[in-house]
Amino acid sequence: MNYVSFTTPDGAASWGVSLEGRIHDLGPSGAGLAPTLKDIVADGRFGTLSEEQVREAPAFDEADVALLPPIIDPAKILCIGVNYVSHQEETGKTNQKAPTVFTRFADTQMGHLAPALMPASTTQYDYEGEMALVVSKDAYRVKAEDAWDYVAGYGAYNDFSVRDWQLAATQWTPGKNFPGTGAFGPYLVPAADLGDVDQLKLETRVNGEVRQSASVADLYFSIPQIIEYVTAWTKLSAGDVIVTGTPGGVGLFMEPKGFLSAGDVVEVEITGLGTLSNTVALDA
């Protein structure tokens, strides 16, 4: 099932499931199963709801609601840098000994169809199509062989990057945390619904032109390796988000450069997870 967070036509925040173009409201303004989707993840009910339960809830046409990031307020968003072999090759950062990790703040996120805000201070606005996972329960010092038990589900992510701010110093935090630059959605899909995620294909398009195309199997550090590494030094909680990396083909390394401009439409499509679409807009 495709779980979503959204605001109703009246502006109330809620969550539910998308079925056949309708959003069935399971949150506070509907069936009232829990305050947020993160609460459902934390109490272990994520992915367990029956279609009958969902269809009994009040529903809206998907076009009448505004989709939010599936997890609105994760305590931690950890992003893995340079984690596809093709991206390592274009950056020259090969043979890494450990994952590159940086943080993104929750208040930089936006949902499907929300504008991707390009700061007035840059001319180097870039895309990074990625797959994100959401942690299912408290995780600390998890071994790789147990890691799959800590994954609730997956969604598409676009880690829009302000390259001049990112590359001005050795750490990347400024270039990754402008408002309206962390697109997440449209859906959060239970891991059990997807099977082997290595079989999923990720594709990023700018105005219909394919810029990135890769199999999730091409990750340099696998999802179990990422979870083992990250939880070796920080405790994760249900609802935390790990963004697993982007393939080669980002605008920074194109010739000529493939940076974004206002009005560009960027889509990230992942098998089984839908298509995340955002249009670039200037942030005054």
Side-chain angles (χ1 to χ4, degrees):
M1 286 191 188
N2 296 332
Y3 287 75
V4 296
S5 294
F6 64 97
T7 54
T8 69
D10 294 332
S14 196
W15 67 275
V17 168
S18 173
L19 283 176
E20 299 164 357
R22 301 272 285 169
I23 302 293
H24 294 262
D25 189 350
L26 303 172
S29 57
L33 296 187
T36 69
L37 184 51
K38 186 168 79 170
D39 292 311
I40 287 289
V41 171
D43 69 20
R45 285 184 288 167
F46 179 71
T48 68
L49 304 179
S50 69
E51 187 171 321
E52 182 180 10
Q53 280 179 288
V54 171
R55 290 192 183 277
E56 288 175 350
F60 304 97
D61 287 337
E62 190 161 327
D64 293 335
V65 306
L67 293 183
L68 302 170
I71 304 297
I72 301 169
D73 59 344
K76 294 178 183 176
I77 303 171
L78 299 178
C79 303
I80 310 301
V82 218
N83 196 34
Y84 277 80
V85 173
S86 57
H87 191 40
Q88 291 181 347
E89 290 172 346
E90 71 181 0
T91 62
K93 298 177 179 178
T94 56
N95 300 316
Q96 295 185 78
K97 304 303 182 187
T100 299
V101 183
F102 60 91
T103 58
R104 177 176 276 284
F105 305 142
D107 63 1
T108 69
Q109 292 196 128
M110 71 285 198
H112 174 60
L113 298 181
L117 299 180
M118 183 172 74
S121 60
T122 189
T123 57
Q124 298 182 15
Y125 197 50
D126 210 347
Y127 53 86
E128 290 192 10
E130 312 198 25
M131 187 179 76
L133 67 86
V134 171
V135 174
S136 62
K137 56 187 176 181
D138 290 352
Y140 188 49
R141 296 174 179 166
V142 175
K143 297 300 182 185
E145 58 265 30
D146 301 322
W148 296 116
D149 293 337
Y150 292 82
V151 180
Y154 301 91
Y157 211 98
N158 198 331
D159 180 38
F160 287 96
S161 302
V162 185
R163 296 297 191 194
D164 41 356
W165 283 80
Q166 177 191 352
L167 301 175
T170 55
Q171 50 75 32
W172 299 349
T173 301
K176 299 288 189 173
N177 281 286
F178 280 81
T181 59
F184 187 13
Y187 313 120
L188 181 64
V189 179
D193 291 0
L194 292 171
D196 183 3
V197 293
D198 281 350
Q199 301 303 310
L200 306 185
K201 178 184 177 183
L202 184 157
E203 184 173 279
T204 305
R205 299 181 291 271
V206 178
N207 301 325
E209 175 192 359
V210 176
R211 295 282 186 90
Q212 297 179 291
S213 183
S215 166
V216 173
D218 296 339
L219 286 170
Y220 184 76
F221 293 104
S222 69
I223 288 170
Q225 288 174 314
I226 292 168
I227 291 173
E228 180 177 64
Y229 179 79
V230 166
T231 63
W233 53 267
T234 190
K235 294 181 179 180
L236 300 180
S237 303
D240 285 350
V241 176
I242 299 176
V243 188
T244 58
T246 198
V250 298
L252 176 63
F253 295 104
M254 293 177 65
E255 288 297 338
K257 304 296 187 189
F259 293 129
L260 300 169
S261 300
D264 286 343
V265 177
V266 189
E267 298 170 299
V268 180
E269 181 175 5
I270 304 177
T271 314
L273 301 180
T275 301
L276 170 65
S277 181
N278 302 91
T279 299
V280 178
L282 292 176
D283 184 9

